[in-house]
Amino acid sequence: MELQPKYRINSIDILRGLIMIIMAIDHTRDFFHLPAMTGNPLNPESTTVAVYFTRWITHFCAPTFVFLSGISAYLSSLKKTKKEAGIFLIKRGLWLVLIELTIVTFGITFNPFFGFIVLQVIWAIGWSMVILGALSLISYRAVFIVGLILVFGHDIFDYLTLPTQGTGRVLTNVFFTAFNSIFPIGNTRVVADFYAILPWTGVMLLGYSIGYWFRKEMLPAQRRKLLLLTGSGLIILFIVLRYARAYGDPAPRTDEVGFLPNLFSFLNASKYPPSLQYVCMTLGPSILLLVVFEKMKNKLTDFFSVYGSVPFFYYILHFYLLHIICVIIFYATGHTNSQIIDPNTPFFFRPLFFGFRLPIVYLIWLFVILALYLPCRWFSRYKKTHNHWWLSFV
Protein backbone atom coordinates (compact mmCIF):
# COMPACT_ATOMS: atom_id res chain seq x y z
CA MET A 1 0.00 0.00 0.00
CA GLU A 2 1.41 3.42 -0.95
CA LEU A 3 1.25 6.37 1.40
CA GLN A 4 1.99 10.03 1.30
CA PRO A 5 5.63 10.89 2.03
CA LYS A 6 6.37 10.73 5.76
CA TYR A 7 7.46 13.68 7.88
CA ARG A 8 11.21 13.69 8.62
CA ILE A 9 13.62 16.12 10.27
CA ASN A 10 15.81 17.30 7.39
CA SER A 11 18.74 18.40 9.55
CA ILE A 12 19.01 14.89 11.03
CA ASP A 13 19.03 13.22 7.61
CA ILE A 14 21.57 15.72 6.27
CA LEU A 15 23.99 15.29 9.17
CA ARG A 16 23.56 11.52 9.23
CA GLY A 17 24.18 11.36 5.48
CA LEU A 18 27.33 13.45 5.80
CA ILE A 19 28.79 11.27 8.53
CA MET A 20 27.86 8.08 6.65
CA ILE A 21 29.81 9.37 3.65
CA ILE A 22 32.78 10.28 5.84
CA MET A 23 32.60 6.90 7.58
CA ALA A 24 33.26 5.14 4.29
CA ILE A 25 36.66 6.88 4.07
CA ASP A 26 37.92 4.90 7.05
CA HIS A 27 36.62 1.57 5.80
CA THR A 28 38.05 2.23 2.35
CA ARG A 29 41.38 3.00 4.02
CA ASP A 30 41.24 -0.31 5.91
CA PHE A 31 40.82 -2.28 2.70
CA PHE A 32 43.02 -0.34 0.31
CA HIS A 33 45.62 1.84 2.06
CA LEU A 34 48.97 0.08 1.94
CA PRO A 35 50.06 0.77 5.55
CA ALA A 36 46.57 0.44 7.06
CA MET A 37 47.38 -2.91 8.71
CA THR A 38 50.92 -2.09 9.76
CA GLY A 39 50.86 1.45 11.16
CA ASN A 40 48.94 3.74 13.51
CA PRO A 41 47.59 6.73 11.53
CA LEU A 42 47.16 8.74 14.75
CA ASN A 43 50.69 8.32 16.09
CA PRO A 44 52.15 11.87 16.21
CA GLU A 45 55.67 10.50 15.77
CA SER A 46 55.09 8.58 12.55
CA THR A 47 51.99 9.88 10.77
CA THR A 48 51.53 12.56 8.14
CA VAL A 49 48.98 15.36 8.02
CA ALA A 50 46.96 13.66 5.27
CA VAL A 51 46.95 10.23 6.91
CA TYR A 52 46.20 11.64 10.37
CA PHE A 53 43.18 13.67 9.32
CA THR A 54 41.91 10.91 7.02
CA ARG A 55 41.56 8.81 10.16
CA TRP A 56 40.72 11.59 12.64
CA ILE A 57 37.80 13.03 10.70
CA THR A 58 36.06 9.66 10.88
CA HIS A 59 36.05 9.93 14.70
CA PHE A 60 32.89 12.02 14.30
CA CYS A 61 30.96 9.20 12.64
CA ALA A 62 30.21 6.59 15.29
CA PRO A 63 29.22 8.97 18.14
CA THR A 64 27.12 11.13 15.83
CA PHE A 65 25.43 8.10 14.31
CA VAL A 66 24.66 6.62 17.75
CA PHE A 67 23.47 10.01 19.03
CA LEU A 68 21.18 10.55 16.02
CA SER A 69 19.86 7.01 16.44
CA GLY A 70 18.75 8.07 19.91
CA ILE A 71 16.99 11.17 18.55
CA SER A 72 15.27 9.05 15.89
CA ALA A 73 14.19 6.53 18.52
CA TYR A 74 12.52 9.31 20.50
CA LEU A 75 10.71 10.70 17.46
CA SER A 76 9.57 7.22 16.48
CA SER A 77 8.21 6.66 20.00
CA LEU A 78 5.83 9.60 19.58
CA LYS A 79 3.80 7.51 17.14
CA LYS A 80 3.39 4.62 19.60
CA THR A 81 2.31 3.96 23.17
CA LYS A 82 5.10 3.78 25.74
CA LYS A 83 4.85 -0.02 25.84
CA GLU A 84 4.81 -0.37 22.05
CA ALA A 85 7.82 1.94 21.66
CA GLY A 86 9.85 0.17 24.34
CA ILE A 87 9.15 -3.32 23.01
CA PHE A 88 9.92 -2.23 19.44
CA LEU A 89 13.32 -0.86 20.51
CA ILE A 90 14.16 -4.10 22.29
CA LYS A 91 13.17 -6.17 19.24
CA ARG A 92 15.06 -3.93 16.80
CA GLY A 93 18.12 -3.93 19.05
CA LEU A 94 18.25 -7.72 19.17
CA TRP A 95 17.76 -7.80 15.40
CA LEU A 96 20.76 -5.50 14.93
CA VAL A 97 22.92 -7.68 17.18
CA LEU A 98 22.06 -10.68 15.00
CA ILE A 99 22.86 -8.70 11.85
CA GLU A 100 26.26 -7.69 13.29
CA LEU A 101 27.16 -11.29 14.08
CA THR A 102 26.19 -12.53 10.62
CA ILE A 103 25.71 -10.17 7.69
CA VAL A 104 28.08 -7.42 8.84
CA THR A 105 30.80 -9.80 10.00
CA PHE A 106 30.73 -11.66 6.67
CA GLY A 107 30.73 -8.40 4.69
CA ILE A 108 33.84 -7.22 6.52
CA THR A 109 35.78 -10.48 6.51
CA PHE A 110 34.39 -12.57 3.59
CA ASN A 111 35.25 -15.52 5.82
CA PRO A 112 32.55 -18.18 5.23
CA PHE A 113 33.70 -20.06 8.35
CA PHE A 114 33.22 -16.99 10.58
CA GLY A 115 36.61 -17.52 12.15
CA PHE A 116 36.80 -13.81 13.02
CA ILE A 117 33.56 -12.39 14.43
CA VAL A 118 33.45 -8.60 14.60
CA LEU A 119 31.65 -6.61 17.29
CA GLN A 120 31.55 -2.97 16.21
CA VAL A 121 29.10 -0.10 16.00
CA ILE A 122 25.98 -2.10 15.03
CA TRP A 123 26.65 -4.40 17.99
CA ALA A 124 26.84 -1.40 20.32
CA ILE A 125 23.76 0.24 18.79
CA GLY A 126 21.79 -2.99 19.06
CA TRP A 127 22.42 -3.51 22.77
CA SER A 128 22.00 0.21 23.40
CA MET A 129 18.54 0.01 21.85
CA VAL A 130 17.67 -2.92 24.09
CA ILE A 131 18.73 -0.94 27.16
CA LEU A 132 17.01 2.21 25.88
CA GLY A 133 13.82 0.24 25.27
CA ALA A 134 13.84 -1.09 28.83
CA LEU A 135 14.57 2.32 30.38
CA SER A 136 11.96 4.08 28.24
CA LEU A 137 9.35 1.76 29.74
CA ILE A 138 10.23 3.29 33.11
CA SER A 139 10.34 6.99 32.22
CA TYR A 140 11.93 9.67 30.07
CA ARG A 141 13.72 10.93 33.19
CA ALA A 142 15.28 7.52 33.79
CA VAL A 143 16.71 7.56 30.25
CA PHE A 144 18.21 11.02 30.75
CA ILE A 145 19.73 10.33 34.18
CA VAL A 146 21.30 7.02 33.18
CA GLY A 147 22.64 8.64 30.00
CA LEU A 148 24.35 11.36 32.01
CA ILE A 149 25.84 8.85 34.44
CA LEU A 150 27.23 6.66 31.66
CA VAL A 151 28.69 9.45 29.52
CA PHE A 152 30.19 11.47 32.35
CA GLY A 153 30.95 8.63 34.75
CA HIS A 154 32.25 5.61 32.86
CA ASP A 155 35.80 7.00 32.75
CA ILE A 156 36.06 6.23 36.44
CA PHE A 157 37.04 2.73 35.29
CA ASP A 158 40.39 4.24 34.28
CA TYR A 159 41.15 4.58 37.99
CA LEU A 160 39.97 1.14 39.13
CA THR A 161 41.81 -2.16 39.30
CA LEU A 162 39.85 -4.40 36.95
CA PRO A 163 39.85 -8.19 36.57
CA THR A 164 42.55 -9.48 34.22
CA GLN A 165 41.15 -12.94 33.63
CA GLY A 166 38.04 -15.06 33.80
CA THR A 167 34.43 -13.98 33.60
CA GLY A 168 35.15 -10.66 35.30
CA ARG A 169 37.58 -9.65 32.57
CA VAL A 170 35.13 -10.60 29.82
CA LEU A 171 32.23 -8.69 31.40
CA THR A 172 34.21 -5.50 32.10
CA ASN A 173 35.57 -5.59 28.54
CA VAL A 174 32.23 -6.19 26.89
CA PHE A 175 30.35 -3.57 28.89
CA PHE A 176 32.93 -0.89 29.72
CA THR A 177 36.53 -1.13 28.50
CA ALA A 178 36.75 -3.00 25.16
CA PHE A 179 39.84 -1.95 23.19
CA ASN A 180 40.69 -4.37 20.38
CA SER A 181 39.70 -7.10 22.82
CA ILE A 182 40.09 -10.62 21.42
CA PHE A 183 38.20 -13.54 22.92
CA PRO A 184 38.90 -17.06 21.58
CA ILE A 185 35.98 -19.42 20.97
CA GLY A 186 37.38 -22.90 20.74
CA ASN A 187 40.40 -23.46 18.54
CA THR A 188 39.14 -22.00 15.27
CA ARG A 189 37.27 -18.80 16.07
CA VAL A 190 37.82 -15.52 17.84
CA VAL A 191 35.52 -12.65 18.73
CA ALA A 192 37.00 -9.18 18.26
CA ASP A 193 35.21 -6.67 20.48
CA PHE A 194 35.97 -3.07 19.50
CA TYR A 195 32.92 -1.33 20.99
CA ALA A 196 32.24 -1.48 24.73
CA ILE A 197 28.47 -1.41 25.10
CA LEU A 198 27.62 0.96 27.96
CA PRO A 199 29.72 4.03 27.02
CA TRP A 200 27.95 4.02 23.64
CA THR A 201 24.62 3.38 25.32
CA GLY A 202 25.11 6.63 27.22
CA VAL A 203 25.50 8.51 23.94
CA MET A 204 22.28 7.00 22.58
CA LEU A 205 20.37 7.76 25.78
CA LEU A 206 21.39 11.41 25.63
CA GLY A 207 20.37 11.51 21.96
CA TYR A 208 16.97 10.14 22.94
CA SER A 209 16.70 12.80 25.63
CA ILE A 210 17.55 15.61 23.22
CA GLY A 211 14.98 14.19 20.81
CA TYR A 212 12.44 16.04 22.92
CA TRP A 213 13.69 19.26 21.31
CA PHE A 214 12.72 17.98 17.84
CA ARG A 215 9.00 17.60 18.48
CA LYS A 216 6.70 19.47 16.11
CA GLU A 217 5.49 21.52 19.06
CA MET A 218 8.97 22.90 19.78
CA LEU A 219 9.66 26.34 18.32
CA PRO A 220 12.58 26.08 15.86
CA ALA A 221 14.28 29.16 17.33
CA GLN A 222 14.15 27.66 20.82
CA ARG A 223 15.52 24.33 19.57
CA ARG A 224 18.38 26.04 17.76
CA LYS A 225 19.26 28.02 20.88
CA LEU A 226 19.37 24.88 23.02
CA LEU A 227 21.44 23.02 20.44
CA LEU A 228 23.83 25.96 20.11
CA LEU A 229 24.37 26.13 23.87
CA THR A 230 24.81 22.37 24.17
CA GLY A 231 27.23 22.02 21.26
CA SER A 232 29.32 25.01 22.35
CA GLY A 233 29.39 23.77 25.93
CA LEU A 234 30.69 20.35 24.89
CA ILE A 235 33.47 21.89 22.78
CA ILE A 236 34.54 24.14 25.65
CA LEU A 237 34.48 21.22 28.08
CA PHE A 238 36.69 19.19 25.74
CA ILE A 239 39.25 21.99 25.42
CA VAL A 240 39.38 22.55 29.19
CA LEU A 241 39.68 18.85 30.07
CA ARG A 242 42.19 18.14 27.33
CA TYR A 243 44.36 21.15 28.09
CA ALA A 244 44.38 20.42 31.82
CA ARG A 245 45.04 16.70 31.29
CA ALA A 246 42.11 16.25 33.63
CA TYR A 247 39.48 13.55 34.01
CA GLY A 248 37.86 12.07 30.95
CA ASP A 249 40.43 10.17 28.88
CA PRO A 250 42.74 7.22 29.60
CA ALA A 251 45.42 8.68 27.30
CA PRO A 252 46.07 12.34 28.23
CA ARG A 253 47.73 14.54 25.65
CA THR A 254 51.50 14.42 25.55
CA ASP A 255 54.04 17.17 24.94
CA GLU A 256 55.57 16.74 21.50
CA VAL A 257 58.20 18.62 19.55
CA GLY A 258 56.62 21.01 17.05
CA PHE A 259 53.17 22.49 16.49
CA LEU A 260 51.66 19.70 14.36
CA PRO A 261 52.68 16.79 16.64
CA ASN A 262 51.27 18.72 19.61
CA LEU A 263 48.03 19.36 17.71
CA PHE A 264 47.83 15.67 16.79
CA SER A 265 48.28 14.68 20.42
CA PHE A 266 45.70 17.23 21.60
CA LEU A 267 43.06 15.93 19.20
CA ASN A 268 43.82 12.25 19.72
CA ALA A 269 41.11 11.50 22.29
CA SER A 270 40.32 7.85 22.95
CA LYS A 271 37.59 6.20 20.89
CA TYR A 272 37.89 2.68 22.32
CA PRO A 273 36.00 2.97 24.58
CA PRO A 274 34.65 6.48 23.81
CA SER A 275 36.02 8.70 26.56
CA LEU A 276 34.20 11.77 27.86
CA GLN A 277 36.75 13.97 26.07
CA TYR A 278 36.19 12.08 22.81
CA VAL A 279 32.42 12.42 23.10
CA CYS A 280 32.70 16.15 23.79
CA MET A 281 35.15 16.65 20.91
CA THR A 282 32.91 14.89 18.39
CA LEU A 283 29.34 15.58 19.50
CA GLY A 284 29.95 19.27 20.17
CA PRO A 285 30.59 20.17 16.51
CA SER A 286 27.97 17.66 15.31
CA ILE A 287 25.27 19.29 17.43
CA LEU A 288 26.26 22.68 16.03
CA LEU A 289 25.89 21.25 12.52
CA LEU A 290 22.30 20.33 13.37
CA VAL A 291 21.74 24.05 13.87
CA VAL A 292 23.42 24.92 10.57
CA PHE A 293 21.61 22.26 8.54
CA GLU A 294 18.18 23.10 9.90
CA LYS A 295 17.97 26.21 7.74
CA MET A 296 19.99 24.92 4.80
CA LYS A 297 18.61 23.31 1.66
CA ASN A 298 20.49 22.95 -1.61
CA LYS A 299 21.67 20.23 -3.96
CA LEU A 300 24.51 19.22 -1.65
CA THR A 301 22.27 18.82 1.40
CA ASP A 302 19.78 16.90 -0.74
CA PHE A 303 22.66 14.61 -1.75
CA PHE A 304 23.60 14.00 1.89
CA SER A 305 19.96 13.40 2.83
CA VAL A 306 19.65 10.48 0.44
CA TYR A 307 22.25 8.50 2.41
CA GLY A 308 21.03 9.79 5.75
CA SER A 309 17.48 8.62 5.17
CA VAL A 310 18.55 4.98 4.69
CA PRO A 311 21.64 4.60 6.91
CA PHE A 312 21.34 0.88 7.68
CA PHE A 313 20.75 0.00 4.02
CA TYR A 314 23.77 2.08 2.99
CA TYR A 315 25.95 0.72 5.80
CA ILE A 316 25.46 -2.89 4.74
CA LEU A 317 25.85 -2.21 1.01
CA HIS A 318 29.03 -0.17 1.35
CA PHE A 319 30.90 -2.97 3.16
CA TYR A 320 29.95 -5.53 0.53
CA LEU A 321 30.81 -3.22 -2.36
CA LEU A 322 34.19 -2.35 -0.81
CA HIS A 323 35.06 -5.98 -0.28
CA ILE A 324 33.94 -7.01 -3.78
CA ILE A 325 36.21 -4.28 -5.21
CA CYS A 326 38.97 -5.59 -2.96
CA VAL A 327 38.55 -9.10 -4.43
CA ILE A 328 38.70 -7.71 -7.98
CA ILE A 329 41.86 -5.73 -7.26
CA PHE A 330 43.34 -8.71 -5.40
CA TYR A 331 43.22 -10.84 -8.55
CA ALA A 332 43.95 -7.95 -10.92
CA THR A 333 47.24 -7.26 -9.12
CA GLY A 334 48.45 -10.83 -9.58
CA HIS A 335 47.52 -12.39 -6.26
CA THR A 336 46.53 -16.05 -6.22
CA ASN A 337 44.13 -18.26 -4.31
CA SER A 338 46.94 -19.31 -1.97
CA GLN A 339 47.09 -15.70 -0.72
CA ILE A 340 43.37 -15.29 0.03
CA ILE A 341 43.99 -16.05 3.70
CA ASP A 342 46.73 -14.06 5.41
CA PRO A 343 47.09 -15.00 9.09
CA ASN A 344 48.23 -11.45 9.82
CA THR A 345 44.90 -9.85 8.83
CA PRO A 346 41.27 -10.71 9.62
CA PHE A 347 40.05 -10.02 6.07
CA PHE A 348 40.05 -12.58 3.28
CA PHE A 349 41.51 -11.22 0.01
CA ARG A 350 43.34 -8.49 1.93
CA PRO A 351 46.98 -9.51 2.57
CA LEU A 352 49.06 -7.58 5.08
CA PHE A 353 51.07 -5.79 2.40
CA PHE A 354 48.38 -4.82 -0.09
CA GLY A 355 46.92 -1.61 -1.42
CA PHE A 356 47.80 1.84 -2.65
CA ARG A 357 48.83 5.30 -1.66
CA LEU A 358 46.23 7.64 -0.16
CA PRO A 359 45.09 9.40 -3.39
CA ILE A 360 44.00 6.06 -4.89
CA VAL A 361 42.16 5.25 -1.67
CA TYR A 362 40.18 8.48 -2.03
CA LEU A 363 39.32 7.67 -5.65
CA ILE A 364 37.95 4.28 -4.62
CA TRP A 365 35.97 5.96 -1.82
CA LEU A 366 34.40 8.43 -4.27
CA PHE A 367 33.49 5.61 -6.62
CA VAL A 368 31.77 3.66 -3.82
CA ILE A 369 29.81 6.71 -2.65
CA LEU A 370 28.59 7.56 -6.14
CA ALA A 371 27.82 3.94 -7.01
CA LEU A 372 25.51 3.68 -3.99
CA TYR A 373 23.63 6.92 -4.65
CA LEU A 374 20.93 5.55 -6.94
CA PRO A 375 20.21 2.43 -4.85
CA CYS A 376 19.95 4.59 -1.73
CA ARG A 377 17.72 7.13 -3.46
CA TRP A 378 15.40 4.38 -4.67
CA PHE A 379 15.15 2.78 -1.22
CA SER A 380 14.67 6.16 0.46
CA ARG A 381 11.71 6.93 -1.79
CA TYR A 382 10.31 3.44 -1.23
CA LYS A 383 10.48 3.81 2.56
CA LYS A 384 8.80 7.19 2.46
CA THR A 385 5.88 5.95 0.41
CA HIS A 386 5.30 2.48 1.87
CA ASN A 387 4.36 1.21 5.29
CA HIS A 388 5.41 -2.45 5.33
CA TRP A 389 6.25 -3.65 8.85
CA TRP A 390 9.71 -4.88 7.87
CA LEU A 391 10.81 -1.42 6.74
CA SER A 392 11.16 -0.43 10.41
CA PHE A 393 13.97 -2.97 10.75
CA VAL A 394 15.99 -1.98 7.64
Side-chain angles (χ1 to χ4, degrees), residues 64-275:
T64 306
F65 187 56
V66 174
F67 182 75
L68 295 178
S69 295
I71 295 178
S72 296
Y74 177 85
L75 294 174
S76 176
S77 73
L78 299 178
K79 307 169 187 176
K80 306 178 180 72
T81 67
K82 179 188 287 190
K83 182 178 180 180
E84 289 172 342
I87 291 175
F88 171 75
L89 284 171
I90 293 171
K91 288 180 178 178
R92 188 162 195 267
L94 293 174
W95 163 251
L96 289 176
V97 170
L98 176 63
I99 292 298
E100 180 82 320
L101 296 173
T102 55
I103 294 175
V104 175
T105 288
F106 182 73
I108 294 173
T109 66
F110 270 22
N111 182 342
F113 310 106
F114 287 85
F116 191 88
I117 298 171
V118 181
L119 307 181
Q120 295 193 115
V121 67
I122 300 299
W123 161 266
I125 289 176
W127 285 117
S128 296
M129 280 189 175
V130 171
I131 296 168
L132 171 57
L135 287 172
S136 68
L137 291 173
I138 301 173
S139 70
Y140 170 87
R141 179 176 295 182
V143 172
F144 179 59
I145 292 173
V146 174
L148 285 176
I149 292 172
L150 289 175
V151 170
F152 286 86
H154 82 271
D155 286 291
I156 197 171
F157 278 80
D158 298 337
Y159 304 93
L160 302 179
T161 301
L162 303 176
T164 58
Q165 57 186 358
T167 303
R169 171 182 173 267
V170 173
L171 291 177
T172 53
N173 264 266
V174 168
F175 286 101
F176 287 104
T177 63
F179 177 75
N180 296 344
S181 302
I182 303 296
F183 303 106
I185 302 178
N187 297 322
T188 59
R189 290 181 176 84
V190 298
V191 173
D193 189 358
F194 300 104
Y195 278 66
I197 293 170
L198 291 181
W200 293 103
T201 299
V203 174
M204 180 176 286
L205 298 183
L206 292 186
Y208 181 93
S209 303
I210 283 180
Y212 182 83
W213 299 346
F214 287 85
R215 296 170 302 137
K216 288 182 179 180
E217 297 81 4
M218 180 69 112
L219 294 175
Q222 184 181 6
R223 173 173 55 249
R224 289 194 293 269
K225 180 179 179 181
L226 291 170
L227 291 172
L228 184 62
L229 290 172
T230 303
S232 301
L234 289 176
I235 293 172
I236 293 170
L237 181 59
F238 163 72
I239 293 172
V240 170
L241 291 176
R242 196 69 180 162
Y243 180 79
R245 296 187 177 93
Y247 172 84
D249 200 282
R253 67 181 179 88
T254 57
D255 292 320
E256 306 288 339
V257 177
F259 171 76
L260 278 177
N262 271 297
L263 177 63
F264 293 163
S265 178
F266 190 89
L267 295 176
N268 189 21
S270 300
K271 179 181 180 179
Y272 305 107
S275 68

Side-chain angles (χ1 to χ4, degrees), residues 34 40 42-43 48 55 62-63 73 97 116 125 157 210 224-226 254 287 293 297 301-302 333 351 374 382:
L34 185 58
N40 178 3
L42 298 176
N43 184 351
T48 66
R55 170 58 176 151
V97 170
F116 191 88
I125 289 176
F157 278 80
I210 283 180
R224 289 194 293 269
K225 180 179 179 181
L226 291 170
T254 57
I287 290 172
F293 290 149
K297 183 172 177 57
T301 59
D302 290 343
T333 51
L374 290 179
Y382 188 87

Side-chain angles (χ1 to χ4, degrees), residues 271-341:
K271 179 181 180 179
Y272 305 107
S275 68
L276 173 61
Q277 292 182 25
Y278 171 88
V279 170
C280 291
M281 178 187 75
T282 53
L283 285 190
S286 292
I287 290 172
L288 294 183
L289 283 177
L290 283 173
V291 179
V292 174
F293 290 149
E294 185 161 321
K295 302 181 71 174
M296 184 181 294
K297 183 172 177 57
N298 52 46
K299 290 184 178 179
L300 184 60
T301 59
D302 290 343
F303 179 77
F304 293 155
S305 293
V306 167
Y307 302 97
S309 60
V310 288
F312 181 71
F313 180 79
Y314 164 87
Y315 184 83
I316 299 296
L317 285 187
H318 98 284
F319 266 126
Y320 278 83
L321 180 55
L322 281 170
H323 216 146
I324 288 170
I325 295 171
C326 185
V327 172
I328 294 171
I329 293 176
F330 174 87
Y331 285 114
T333 51
H335 292 83
T336 63
N337 290 342
S338 64
Q339 297 172 288
I340 291 174
I341 303 174

